[in-house]
Each structure stands twice: as structure tokens, then as C-alpha cells.
């Protein structure tokens, strides 16, 4: 846009612009489509490009994210999470306390998962392209509980484990990114792993995803002492095959 005097309008508009949240980058529908297409290609080429997977999730989640937000708003624990905005990262976790919890508890098994797979909760990218501050938190929360999904489902971070978790998350969240990962992730698996995936793991992940209540409605930070088996039963997740 141009000012009334024929210039300066764009500069004035940019000076008056403020990000919706730290790191937010406003984008048009066309820009989102281009980002989605490019990130999808890169994510399929290299599924471990977490930055591309993150961009794909943000640029294609326009329908799924509001639905997840509404599920959280309509659930007492989920609503409290939206109000208090807890974060799961090294600065908020008492790792020594979690390591000292009994075997089988959520906190101890979560730390064991991080240690065994050499991953850190701080590797989750902050949102950039979600044009709503509350929805940006929803996708941030989804990313930060992803390792807890691995813990609850008993799945490692290798390609087979990631595909299984993506099937569960696709059913749970409806995020196109998860659907894409579930559908195309298996192309890199061996024939033996494909057979196990098709006959045992995918049917179990789908049944668990359909049966379980929304996993974003759990205040995990207040459940560290709870046994994993107890939380699985509460949520409706079947024991891993």
C-alpha cells in the first residue's frame, strides 16, 4: 500500500506491525502453499529434517489445529494447560528428580527414553508460521509431548518407531504432516519390518489412536509419578504388542 502522498505507506505499515508471538513470520496463503510443498518434498527426502517437518506441520495445520484447540478448551485439564502454558524443556524439567523416580513411572521412563535414544526436549523448533498465538502454543505443545508419545507407546526413535508413532498421532490429531509421515515413512523400511508394521504395529496404533482420549489433554508435568501402565489405561492406549 502507498501513502496518500504517493509513498511511505509500506514503511509506516511495517513500523506499526508487531509479531503475534516471538519468532512469528506472517505469510500469505500462497506463501504457505509454497512452504508446504517445499517442506513436504524435503521431509520425504530426509525424514530426519525436523525443521522441514516442523514447517510442514505449521503450514498445513489450518483445520486440525483449531480442532485440537477446541478439544483442549472443552476438557478441564486441557483448558488448564491452555491457560497456564506449561513448557517441556531442560529449563523447566528437574532431570535429577525424574531420574530418581521409581522404574515404570512416567517421569523415569521418559528420562530413560531420552537417554537411550540420545535426544533432548530442547530440539523442538518454536513455531513461526501459525497466524494465531493460541494455535501456535497448541502445535508447540504437540511437539513437546511427542517424546512422551514414544514413551507411552514404547517406541524407539528409529524409522520403524517413528512411523508407528506417526500413525497414532495422525489418528489423534488429524495433522496432515502426521498423515504424510504415516503414509510415506514405510517406503524406507525393509520387507521384514514392513510385514511387522502391517500385521502388528499399524493395526495396534490405529486401534489405540481411535480408542484413546486426546493426548494433549494430559498435564504430563503433574503426572511424572504416575505409572506408565496406569496412564495408558486411563487414556485408553492398548499395551504395545
Amino acid at each position: 500500500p502507498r501513502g496518500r502522498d504517493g509513498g511511505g505507506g509500506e514503511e509506516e505499515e511495517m513500523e506499526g506491525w508487531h509479531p503475534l508471538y516471538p519468532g512469528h513470520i506472517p505469510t500469505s496463503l500462497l506463501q504457505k502453499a509454497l512452504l508446504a510443498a517445499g517442506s513436504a518434498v524435503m521431509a520425504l527426502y530426509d525424514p530426519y529434517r525436523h525443521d522441514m517437518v516442523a514447517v510442514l506441520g505449521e503450514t498445513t495445520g489450518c483445520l486440525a489445529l483449531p480442532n485440537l484447540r477446541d478439544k483442549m478448551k472443552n476438557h478441564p485439564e486441557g483448558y488448564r494447560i491452555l491457560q497456564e502454558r506449561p513448557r517441556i524443556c531442560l529449563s523447566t524439567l528437574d532431570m535429577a528428580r525424574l531420574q530418581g523416580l521409581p522404574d515404570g513411572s512416567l517421569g523415569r521412563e521418559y528420562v530413560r527414553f531420552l537417554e537411550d535414544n540420545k535426544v533432548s526436549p530442547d530440539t523442538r523448533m518454536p513455531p513461526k508460521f501459525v497466524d494465531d498465538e493460541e494455535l501456535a502454543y497448541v502445535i508447540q505443545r504437540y511437539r513437546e509431548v511427542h517424546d512422551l508419545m514414544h514413551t507411552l507407546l514404547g517406541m524407539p526413535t528409529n524409522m520403524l518407531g517413528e512411523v508407528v508413532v506417526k500413525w497414532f498421532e495422525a489418528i489423534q490429531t488429524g495433522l496432515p504432516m502426521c498423515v504424510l509421515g504415516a503414509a510415506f515413512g514405510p517406503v524406507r523400511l525393509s520387507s521384514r519390518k514392513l510385514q511387522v508394521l502391517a500385521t502388528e504395529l499399524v493395526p495396534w496404533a490405529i486401534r489405540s489412536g481411535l480408542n484413546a482420549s486426546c493426548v494433549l489433554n494430559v498435564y504430563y508435568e503433574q503426572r511424572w509419578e504416575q505409572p506408565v501402565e496406569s496412564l495408558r489405561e486411563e487414556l485408553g492406549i492398548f499395551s504395545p504388542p
Side-chain angles (χ1 to χ4, degrees):
R2 300 179 63 84
R4 292 181 181 177
D5 59 353
E10 186 173 347
E11 292 180 4
E12 291 172 4
E13 183 172 298
M14 290 303 295
E15 288 176 1
W17 176 81
H18 298 284
L20 295 174
Y21 50 86
H24 172 240
I25 300 174
T27 48
S28 66
L29 288 177
L30 176 59
Q31 289 171 322
K32 282 184 171 60
L34 293 173
L35 285 167
S39 59
V41 170
M42 289 303 300
L44 290 173
Y45 177 75
D46 182 1
Y48 290 103
R49 281 290 303 270
H50 298 298
D51 55 341
M52 294 292 97
V53 174
V55 171
L56 180 62
E58 293 177 33
T59 54
T60 61
C62 56
L63 297 178
L65 290 176
N67 184 49
L68 287 171
R69 187 262 317 275
D70 292 346
K71 286 183 179 180
M72 295 179 73
K73 281 189 171 181
N74 292 322
H75 186 277
E77 201 164 337
Y79 181 75
R80 194 152 57 88
I81 293 169
L82 279 179
Q83 295 299 305
E84 298 177 8
R85 306 285 179 90
R87 296 291 306 276
I88 300 176
C89 50
L90 290 178
S91 63
T92 64
L93 295 173
D94 186 344
M95 300 298 286
R97 172 175 168 266
L98 297 183
Q99 289 172 332
L101 292 174
D103 289 343
S105 64
L106 177 65
R108 183 66 191 94
E109 297 310 315
Y110 172 62
V111 172
R112 194 190 312 278
F113 167 84
L114 296 177
E115 294 170 341
D116 289 349
N117 293 279
K118 296 179 174 59
V119 295
S120 166
D122 282 358
T123 59
R124 302 300 169 189
M125 290 186 61
K128 296 179 180 179
F129 302 109
V130 179
D131 296 329
D132 181 284
E133 186 269 340
E134 193 171 45
L135 296 182
Y137 175 76
V138 172
I139 199 164
Q140 181 75 46
R141 183 67 175 175
Y142 156 74
R143 289 172 183 167
E144 292 182 357
V145 304
H146 175 75
D147 289 337
L148 284 160
M149 294 305 98
H150 277 274
T151 304
L152 285 172
L153 298 173
M155 290 292 130
T157 57
N158 59 24
M159 186 56 65
L160 181 63
E162 289 291 352
V163 169
V164 174
V165 173
K166 278 292 177 284
W167 273 100
F168 177 83
E169 291 179 340
I171 300 296
Q172 274 277 307
T173 68
L175 285 166
M177 169 199 66
C178 297
V179 176
L180 193 69
F184 290 96
V187 300
R188 295 174 177 264
L189 298 176
S190 66
S191 57
R192 181 179 64 84
K193 289 182 179 179
L194 278 174
Q195 183 177 4
V196 173
L197 186 71
T199 59
E200 297 182 36
L201 296 176
V202 167
W204 163 74
I206 292 175
R207 287 191 302 113
S208 290
L210 291 172
N211 188 66
S213 54
C214 181
V215 293
L216 292 185
N217 286 334
V218 178
Y219 212 135
Y220 296 97
E221 297 88 334
Q222 299 178 357
R223 305 289 198 103
W224 295 130
E225 293 84 1
Q226 185 173 356
V228 170
E229 286 296 336
S230 169
L231 185 54
R232 281 179 185 153
E233 184 177 349
E234 178 184 334
L235 288 172
I237 298 174
F238 302 112
S239 295

